[in-house]
Amino acid sequence: MWQARRARAQEHAARIEKARAERRFNEVRQLARAVLFDYHDAIKDLPGATPVRERLVKDALVYLDGLASEAGGDPALQRELATAYERVGDVRGQPYGASLGDSAGALESYEKALVLREQLLASSPNDFQTKRELARSYRNVGNRLLQTDQATRGVENLKKALALLEEIVSERPDEVEARYDLARTYNDLGLALEDFGDISGALAHHRKALPLREEFQAAEPRNPQRRYDLSVTHTNLGRAFVLSNDVKGGLESNQKALAIAAALAEEEPMKISYRRLLAITYQDDGDYRDILGDKNGALESFRKKLALDEQSFAEDSANAQARSDLGYSYTR
């Protein structure tokens, strides 16, 4: 009887300890998620926030790495860990966004996210969400590889992303977010083909992105992100037109982009992504006017870009993209 009571007491204590451990596990997991998603996303567009964002995502990743070693093959936790690596990659060296300029570190983080998502899809090959997230990882890795001596692999990764998304959209044509990702991938692949000198291919992909983004903007005319994306596509189309020797067509397309970007920057002057988009459209406007022989108009646009870039650099000197943009503006 004594041994039985002792065994029951030990079993009860073990259950209590297991419950306590699970509670600690979930509390730490919730904390990591709050740091990674809520706090990080609340400050990501604030000028000067780059060093703080780096600290937040790295701290969250330490927590999640520890949890992953305890959780084994928990798919939900693997999904969160992949997203954490993705966020670290964004802060280290996200293309076209505020970052620390650590391209190699960004690629390393993006590739870790990619491996986890490939494992998740292998275990659940028909999972819609995993396919979307894996396509995003292919796009992230592809865009970073384009900046290295492995640019061909970069294009291959972008094509993998495109294949996954076209498959999803063909199966679920009403999935708005998947179609949104598809438009982004058309955009990225168009830029990559442009760098490879395939201007007709670049133009074709940007033209595929345009009706999707016009549709999104028409459905949500006040949605800033939809307007931002449409401006990006007009910008990219303008450059593709110019590279196809249609400079006037390029200037006209870029004017559409500039009008949207100017409105966004006026509505939210502290949002650095809107400011940078406006700066890029001024840059392209200046380039195209220069080609057409309008030197004064070109200089006026470059000076407007310079003022925006000086503001961004003054607010966040740790932002490598801001430094690069400012140097380019002085050159122009």
Side-chain angles (χ1 to χ4, degrees), residues 163-190:
L164 273 175
L165 290 166
E166 288 180 334
E167 177 186 333
I168 292 170
V169 170
S170 68
E171 294 171 356
R172 302 186 179 208
D174 295 330
E175 288 287 350
V176 174
E177 290 303 315
R179 296 170 73 241
Y180 172 72
D181 289 349
L182 179 61
R184 287 193 67 181
T185 307
Y186 281 137
N187 174 79
D188 291 351
L189 192 52

PDB file of all heavy atoms in Angstrom, residues 163-190:
ATOM      1  N   ALA A 163       5.991  28.846 -60.425  1.00  0.00           N
ATOM      2  CA  ALA A 163       5.296  27.588 -60.718  1.00  0.00           C
ATOM      3  C   ALA A 163       4.348  27.202 -59.591  1.00  0.00           C
ATOM      4  O   ALA A 163       3.200  26.781 -59.827  1.00  0.00           O
ATOM      5  CB  ALA A 163       6.316  26.477 -60.967  1.00  0.00           C
ATOM      6  N   LEU A 164       4.801  27.329 -58.339  1.00  0.00           N
ATOM      7  CA  LEU A 164       3.950  27.017 -57.196  1.00  0.00           C
ATOM      8  C   LEU A 164       2.719  27.916 -57.155  1.00  0.00           C
ATOM      9  O   LEU A 164       1.594  27.457 -56.942  1.00  0.00           O
ATOM     10  CB  LEU A 164       4.740  27.174 -55.888  1.00  0.00           C
ATOM     11  CG  LEU A 164       5.542  25.983 -55.378  1.00  0.00           C
ATOM     12  CD1 LEU A 164       6.342  26.392 -54.141  1.00  0.00           C
ATOM     13  CD2 LEU A 164       4.636  24.801 -55.049  1.00  0.00           C
ATOM     14  N   LEU A 165       2.925  29.204 -57.364  1.00  0.00           N
ATOM     15  CA  LEU A 165       1.822  30.152 -57.267  1.00  0.00           C
ATOM     16  C   LEU A 165       0.839  29.994 -58.416  1.00  0.00           C
ATOM     17  O   LEU A 165      -0.383  30.103 -58.212  1.00  0.00           O
ATOM     18  CB  LEU A 165       2.369  31.581 -57.216  1.00  0.00           C
ATOM     19  CG  LEU A 165       3.099  31.921 -55.917  1.00  0.00           C
ATOM     20  CD1 LEU A 165       3.896  33.211 -56.073  1.00  0.00           C
ATOM     21  CD2 LEU A 165       2.113  32.035 -54.761  1.00  0.00           C
ATOM     22  N   GLU A 166       1.325  29.728 -59.609  1.00  0.00           N
ATOM     23  CA  GLU A 166       0.416  29.493 -60.736  1.00  0.00           C
ATOM     24  C   GLU A 166      -0.409  28.236 -60.499  1.00  0.00           C
ATOM     25  O   GLU A 166      -1.599  28.183 -60.849  1.00  0.00           O
ATOM     26  CB  GLU A 166       1.199  29.407 -62.042  1.00  0.00           C
ATOM     27  CG  GLU A 166       1.734  30.760 -62.508  1.00  0.00           C
ATOM     28  CD  GLU A 166       2.508  30.682 -63.811  1.00  0.00           C
ATOM     29  OE1 GLU A 166       3.060  29.604 -64.122  1.00  0.00           O
ATOM     30  OE2 GLU A 166       2.585  31.721 -64.504  1.00  0.00           O
ATOM     31  N   GLU A 167       0.206  27.240 -59.862  1.00  0.00           N
ATOM     32  CA  GLU A 167      -0.526  26.019 -59.505  1.00  0.00           C
ATOM     33  C   GLU A 167      -1.630  26.327 -58.488  1.00  0.00           C
ATOM     34  O   GLU A 167      -2.770  25.877 -58.625  1.00  0.00           O
ATOM     35  CB  GLU A 167       0.453  24.995 -58.921  1.00  0.00           C
ATOM     36  CG  GLU A 167      -0.200  23.705 -58.446  1.00  0.00           C
ATOM     37  CD  GLU A 167       0.802  22.786 -57.752  1.00  0.00           C
ATOM     38  OE1 GLU A 167       2.002  22.862 -58.066  1.00  0.00           O
ATOM     39  OE2 GLU A 167       0.366  22.010 -56.884  1.00  0.00           O
ATOM     40  N   ILE A 168      -1.297  27.102 -57.469  1.00  0.00           N
ATOM     41  CA  ILE A 168      -2.275  27.456 -56.439  1.00  0.00           C
ATOM     42  C   ILE A 168      -3.432  28.240 -57.053  1.00  0.00           C
ATOM     43  O   ILE A 168      -4.612  27.946 -56.799  1.00  0.00           O
ATOM     44  CB  ILE A 168      -1.613  28.294 -55.324  1.00  0.00           C
ATOM     45  CG1 ILE A 168      -0.621  27.449 -54.528  1.00  0.00           C
ATOM     46  CG2 ILE A 168      -2.661  28.870 -54.384  1.00  0.00           C
ATOM     47  CD1 ILE A 168       0.246  28.261 -53.577  1.00  0.00           C
ATOM     48  N   VAL A 169      -3.112  29.241 -57.866  1.00  0.00           N
ATOM     49  CA  VAL A 169      -4.156  30.100 -58.440  1.00  0.00           C
ATOM     50  C   VAL A 169      -5.037  29.325 -59.408  1.00  0.00           C
ATOM     51  O   VAL A 169      -6.246  29.576 -59.492  1.00  0.00           O
ATOM     52  CB  VAL A 169      -3.504  31.326 -59.123  1.00  0.00           C
ATOM     53  CG1 VAL A 169      -4.521  32.110 -59.940  1.00  0.00           C
ATOM     54  CG2 VAL A 169      -2.877  32.232 -58.074  1.00  0.00           C
ATOM     55  N   SER A 170      -4.456  28.367 -60.130  1.00  0.00           N
ATOM     56  CA  SER A 170      -5.279  27.553 -61.038  1.00  0.00           C
ATOM     57  C   SER A 170      -6.250  26.672 -60.260  1.00  0.00           C
ATOM     58  O   SER A 170      -7.377  26.421 -60.706  1.00  0.00           O
ATOM     59  CB  SER A 170      -4.392  26.684 -61.937  1.00  0.00           C
ATOM     60  OG  SER A 170      -3.719  25.687 -61.179  1.00  0.00           O
ATOM     61  N   GLU A 171      -5.818  26.229 -59.061  1.00  0.00           N
ATOM     62  CA  GLU A 171      -6.680  25.390 -58.227  1.00  0.00           C
ATOM     63  C   GLU A 171      -7.667  26.216 -57.415  1.00  0.00           C
ATOM     64  O   GLU A 171      -8.784  25.785 -57.144  1.00  0.00           O
ATOM     65  CB  GLU A 171      -5.822  24.546 -57.270  1.00  0.00           C
ATOM     66  CG  GLU A 171      -4.949  23.513 -57.971  1.00  0.00           C
ATOM     67  CD  GLU A 171      -3.965  22.854 -57.012  1.00  0.00           C
ATOM     68  OE1 GLU A 171      -3.914  23.267 -55.829  1.00  0.00           O
ATOM     69  OE2 GLU A 171      -3.258  21.914 -57.447  1.00  0.00           O
ATOM     70  N   ARG A 172      -7.231  27.425 -57.007  1.00  0.00           N
ATOM     71  CA  ARG A 172      -8.052  28.287 -56.153  1.00  0.00           C
ATOM     72  C   ARG A 172      -8.051  29.708 -56.721  1.00  0.00           C
ATOM     73  O   ARG A 172      -7.421  30.606 -56.161  1.00  0.00           O
ATOM     74  CB  ARG A 172      -7.506  28.299 -54.721  1.00  0.00           C
ATOM     75  CG  ARG A 172      -7.425  26.928 -54.084  1.00  0.00           C
ATOM     76  CD  ARG A 172      -7.008  27.080 -52.637  1.00  0.00           C
ATOM     77  NE  ARG A 172      -6.921  25.816 -51.945  1.00  0.00           N
ATOM     78  CZ  ARG A 172      -7.105  25.657 -50.636  1.00  0.00           C
ATOM     79  NH1 ARG A 172      -7.394  26.703 -49.894  1.00  0.00           N
ATOM     80  NH2 ARG A 172      -7.010  24.476 -50.080  1.00  0.00           N
ATOM     81  N   PRO A 173      -8.772  29.930 -57.795  1.00  0.00           N
ATOM     82  CA  PRO A 173      -8.736  31.245 -58.443  1.00  0.00           C
ATOM     83  C   PRO A 173      -9.283  32.384 -57.582  1.00  0.00           C
ATOM     84  O   PRO A 173      -9.020  33.555 -57.882  1.00  0.00           O
ATOM     85  CB  PRO A 173      -9.595  31.045 -59.706  1.00  0.00           C
ATOM     86  CG  PRO A 173     -10.418  29.838 -59.432  1.00  0.00           C
ATOM     87  CD  PRO A 173      -9.608  28.970 -58.532  1.00  0.00           C
ATOM     88  N   ASP A 174     -10.034  32.041 -56.534  1.00  0.00           N
ATOM     89  CA  ASP A 174     -10.603  33.083 -55.675  1.00  0.00           C
ATOM     90  C   ASP A 174      -9.698  33.444 -54.499  1.00  0.00           C
ATOM     91  O   ASP A 174     -10.068  34.305 -53.684  1.00  0.00           O
ATOM     92  CB  ASP A 174     -11.977  32.637 -55.135  1.00  0.00           C
ATOM     93  CG  ASP A 174     -13.000  32.476 -56.254  1.00  0.00           C
ATOM     94  OD1 ASP A 174     -12.885  33.203 -57.258  1.00  0.00           O
ATOM     95  OD2 ASP A 174     -13.891  31.624 -56.123  1.00  0.00           O
ATOM     96  N   GLU A 175      -8.551  32.811 -54.385  1.00  0.00           N
ATOM     97  CA  GLU A 175      -7.630  33.114 -53.290  1.00  0.00           C
ATOM     98  C   GLU A 175      -6.884  34.408 -53.598  1.00  0.00           C
ATOM     99  O   GLU A 175      -5.906  34.428 -54.348  1.00  0.00           O
ATOM    100  CB  GLU A 175      -6.643  31.949 -53.086  1.00  0.00           C
ATOM    101  CG  GLU A 175      -7.256  30.702 -52.471  1.00  0.00           C
ATOM    102  CD  GLU A 175      -7.568  30.884 -50.994  1.00  0.00           C
ATOM    103  OE1 GLU A 175      -7.132  31.899 -50.405  1.00  0.00           O
ATOM    104  OE2 GLU A 175      -8.259  30.015 -50.432  1.00  0.00           O
ATOM    105  N   VAL A 176      -7.355  35.487 -53.002  1.00  0.00           N
ATOM    106  CA  VAL A 176      -6.824  36.818 -53.329  1.00  0.00           C
ATOM    107  C   VAL A 176      -5.347  36.932 -52.961  1.00  0.00           C
ATOM    108  O   VAL A 176      -4.534  37.461 -53.735  1.00  0.00           O
ATOM    109  CB  VAL A 176      -7.644  37.908 -52.611  1.00  0.00           C
ATOM    110  CG1 VAL A 176      -7.014  39.289 -52.834  1.00  0.00           C
ATOM    111  CG2 VAL A 176      -9.078  37.903 -53.101  1.00  0.00           C
ATOM    112  N   GLU A 177      -4.965  36.435 -51.774  1.00  0.00           N
ATOM    113  CA  GLU A 177      -3.583  36.588 -51.334  1.00  0.00           C
ATOM    114  C   GLU A 177      -2.610  35.811 -52.225  1.00  0.00           C
ATOM    115  O   GLU A 177      -1.481  36.251 -52.462  1.00  0.00           O
ATOM    116  CB  GLU A 177      -3.436  36.160 -49.875  1.00  0.00           C
ATOM    117  CG  GLU A 177      -4.114  37.109 -48.898  1.00  0.00           C
ATOM    118  CD  GLU A 177      -3.615  38.539 -49.026  1.00  0.00           C
ATOM    119  OE1 GLU A 177      -2.388  38.754 -49.115  1.00  0.00           O
ATOM    120  OE2 GLU A 177      -4.454  39.457 -49.054  1.00  0.00           O
ATOM    121  N   ALA A 178      -3.047  34.652 -52.726  1.00  0.00           N
ATOM    122  CA  ALA A 178      -2.198  33.882 -53.633  1.00  0.00           C
ATOM    123  C   ALA A 178      -2.011  34.639 -54.947  1.00  0.00           C
ATOM    124  O   ALA A 178      -0.905  34.675 -55.509  1.00  0.00           O
ATOM    125  CB  ALA A 178      -2.798  32.506 -53.892  1.00  0.00           C
ATOM    126  N   ARG A 179      -3.067  35.262 -55.422  1.00  0.00           N
ATOM    127  CA  ARG A 179      -2.965  36.042 -56.649  1.00  0.00           C
ATOM    128  C   ARG A 179      -2.112  37.285 -56.416  1.00  0.00           C
ATOM    129  O   ARG A 179      -1.391  37.748 -57.306  1.00  0.00           O
ATOM    130  CB  ARG A 179      -4.360  36.411 -57.143  1.00  0.00           C
ATOM    131  CG  ARG A 179      -5.162  35.168 -57.530  1.00  0.00           C
ATOM    132  CD  ARG A 179      -6.629  35.446 -57.803  1.00  0.00           C
ATOM    133  NE  ARG A 179      -6.797  36.148 -59.071  1.00  0.00           N
ATOM    134  CZ  ARG A 179      -7.337  37.351 -59.202  1.00  0.00           C
ATOM    135  NH1 ARG A 179      -7.749  38.000 -58.126  1.00  0.00           N
ATOM    136  NH2 ARG A 179      -7.464  37.906 -60.372  1.00  0.00           N
ATOM    137  N   TYR A 180      -2.200  37.814 -55.222  1.00  0.00           N
ATOM    138  CA  TYR A 180      -1.347  38.945 -54.855  1.00  0.00           C
ATOM    139  C   TYR A 180       0.131  38.526 -54.901  1.00  0.00           C
ATOM    140  O   TYR A 180       0.982  39.238 -55.451  1.00  0.00           O
ATOM    141  CB  TYR A 180      -1.737  39.411 -53.459  1.00  0.00           C
ATOM    142  CG  TYR A 180      -0.831  40.444 -52.847  1.00  0.00           C
ATOM    143  CD1 TYR A 180      -0.824  41.754 -53.301  1.00  0.00           C
ATOM    144  CD2 TYR A 180       0.015  40.112 -51.796  1.00  0.00           C
ATOM    145  CE1 TYR A 180      -0.004  42.707 -52.730  1.00  0.00           C
ATOM    146  CE2 TYR A 180       0.843  41.062 -51.221  1.00  0.00           C
ATOM    147  CZ  TYR A 180       0.829  42.353 -51.695  1.00  0.00           C
ATOM    148  OH  TYR A 180       1.645  43.287 -51.133  1.00  0.00           O
ATOM    149  N   ASP A 181       0.448  37.346 -54.325  1.00  0.00           N
ATOM    150  CA  ASP A 181       1.821  36.830 -54.366  1.00  0.00           C
ATOM    151  C   ASP A 181       2.266  36.565 -55.801  1.00  0.00           C
ATOM    152  O   ASP A 181       3.433  36.764 -56.148  1.00  0.00           O
ATOM    153  CB  ASP A 181       1.927  35.537 -53.549  1.00  0.00           C
ATOM    154  CG  ASP A 181       1.834  35.774 -52.051  1.00  0.00           C
ATOM    155  OD1 ASP A 181       1.893  36.943 -51.624  1.00  0.00           O
ATOM    156  OD2 ASP A 181       1.700  34.783 -51.307  1.00  0.00           O
ATOM    157  N   LEU A 182       1.322  36.112 -56.617  1.00  0.00           N
ATOM    158  CA  LEU A 182       1.641  35.843 -58.022  1.00  0.00           C
ATOM    159  C   LEU A 182       2.070  37.129 -58.729  1.00  0.00           C
ATOM    160  O   LEU A 182       3.056  37.142 -59.475  1.00  0.00           O
ATOM    161  CB  LEU A 182       0.421  35.238 -58.723  1.00  0.00           C
ATOM    162  CG  LEU A 182       0.572  34.904 -60.212  1.00  0.00           C
ATOM    163  CD1 LEU A 182       1.678  33.876 -60.431  1.00  0.00           C
ATOM    164  CD2 LEU A 182      -0.750  34.386 -60.773  1.00  0.00           C
ATOM    165  N   ALA A 183       1.359  38.213 -58.464  1.00  0.00           N
ATOM    166  CA  ALA A 183       1.719  39.495 -59.070  1.00  0.00           C
ATOM    167  C   ALA A 183       3.113  39.930 -58.628  1.00  0.00           C
ATOM    168  O   ALA A 183       3.910  40.431 -59.432  1.00  0.00           O
ATOM    169  CB  ALA A 183       0.682  40.555 -58.693  1.00  0.00           C
ATOM    170  N   ARG A 184       3.437  39.743 -57.342  1.00  0.00           N
ATOM    171  CA  ARG A 184       4.773  40.100 -56.845  1.00  0.00           C
ATOM    172  C   ARG A 184       5.852  39.280 -57.546  1.00  0.00           C
ATOM    173  O   ARG A 184       6.935  39.794 -57.857  1.00  0.00           O
ATOM    174  CB  ARG A 184       4.859  39.856 -55.341  1.00  0.00           C
ATOM    175  CG  ARG A 184       4.113  40.856 -54.504  1.00  0.00           C
ATOM    176  CD  ARG A 184       4.500  40.740 -53.054  1.00  0.00           C
ATOM    177  NE  ARG A 184       5.892  41.131 -52.844  1.00  0.00           N
ATOM    178  CZ  ARG A 184       6.507  41.103 -51.672  1.00  0.00           C
ATOM    179  NH1 ARG A 184       5.850  40.692 -50.594  1.00  0.00           N
ATOM    180  NH2 ARG A 184       7.760  41.476 -51.560  1.00  0.00           N
ATOM    181  N   THR A 185       5.562  38.015 -57.785  1.00  0.00           N
ATOM    182  CA  THR A 185       6.561  37.151 -58.411  1.00  0.00           C
ATOM    183  C   THR A 185       6.744  37.501 -59.881  1.00  0.00           C
ATOM    184  O   THR A 185       7.869  37.458 -60.402  1.00  0.00           O
ATOM    185  CB  THR A 185       6.166  35.674 -58.242  1.00  0.00           C
ATOM    186  OG1 THR A 185       5.919  35.408 -56.856  1.00  0.00           O
ATOM    187  CG2 THR A 185       7.279  34.753 -58.716  1.00  0.00           C
ATOM    188  N   TYR A 186       5.645  37.847 -60.570  1.00  0.00           N
ATOM    189  CA  TYR A 186       5.789  38.364 -61.936  1.00  0.00           C
ATOM    190  C   TYR A 186       6.713  39.583 -61.926  1.00  0.00           C
ATOM    191  O   TYR A 186       7.584  39.741 -62.791  1.00  0.00           O
ATOM    192  CB  TYR A 186       4.433  38.767 -62.503  1.00  0.00           C
ATOM    193  CG  TYR A 186       3.569  37.631 -63.007  1.00  0.00           C
ATOM    194  CD1 TYR A 186       2.202  37.590 -62.729  1.00  0.00           C
ATOM    195  CD2 TYR A 186       4.110  36.609 -63.781  1.00  0.00           C
ATOM    196  CE1 TYR A 186       1.399  36.563 -63.198  1.00  0.00           C
ATOM    197  CE2 TYR A 186       3.321  35.561 -64.258  1.00  0.00           C
ATOM    198  CZ  TYR A 186       1.959  35.546 -63.955  1.00  0.00           C
ATOM    199  OH  TYR A 186       1.179  34.524 -64.415  1.00  0.00           O
ATOM    200  N   ASN A 187       6.502  40.444 -60.946  1.00  0.00           N
ATOM    201  CA  ASN A 187       7.314  41.652 -60.817  1.00  0.00           C
ATOM    202  C   ASN A 187       8.792  41.303 -60.633  1.00  0.00           C
ATOM    203  O   ASN A 187       9.672  41.825 -61.329  1.00  0.00           O
ATOM    204  CB  ASN A 187       6.800  42.455 -59.622  1.00  0.00           C
ATOM    205  CG  ASN A 187       7.662  43.658 -59.307  1.00  0.00           C
ATOM    206  OD1 ASN A 187       7.573  44.685 -59.950  1.00  0.00           O
ATOM    207  ND2 ASN A 187       8.510  43.541 -58.295  1.00  0.00           N
ATOM    208  N   ASP A 188       9.081  40.403 -59.688  1.00  0.00           N
ATOM    209  CA  ASP A 188      10.473  40.065 -59.377  1.00  0.00           C
ATOM    210  C   ASP A 188      11.162  39.369 -60.544  1.00  0.00           C
ATOM    211  O   ASP A 188      12.333  39.639 -60.845  1.00  0.00           O
ATOM    212  CB  ASP A 188      10.530  39.172 -58.133  1.00  0.00           C
ATOM    213  CG  ASP A 188      10.131  39.912 -56.868  1.00  0.00           C
ATOM    214  OD1 ASP A 188       9.970  41.141 -56.924  1.00  0.00           O
ATOM    215  OD2 ASP A 188       9.966  39.255 -55.822  1.00  0.00           O
ATOM    216  N   LEU A 189      10.424  38.466 -61.197  1.00  0.00           N
ATOM    217  CA  LEU A 189      11.028  37.751 -62.323  1.00  0.00           C
ATOM    218  C   LEU A 189      11.249  38.703 -63.496  1.00  0.00           C
ATOM    219  O   LEU A 189      12.257  38.592 -64.215  1.00  0.00           O
ATOM    220  CB  LEU A 189      10.141  36.572 -62.736  1.00  0.00           C
ATOM    221  CG  LEU A 189      10.749  35.556 -63.701  1.00  0.00           C
ATOM    222  CD1 LEU A 189      12.103  35.050 -63.220  1.00  0.00           C
ATOM    223  CD2 LEU A 189       9.794  34.382 -63.904  1.00  0.00           C
ATOM    224  N   GLY A 190      10.346  39.655 -63.665  1.00  0.00           N
ATOM    225  CA  GLY A 190      10.549  40.666 -64.703  1.00  0.00           C
ATOM    226  C   GLY A 190      11.815  41.461 -64.481  1.00  0.00           C
ATOM    227  O   GLY A 190      12.591  41.708 -65.410  1.00  0.00           O
TER     228      GLY A 190
END
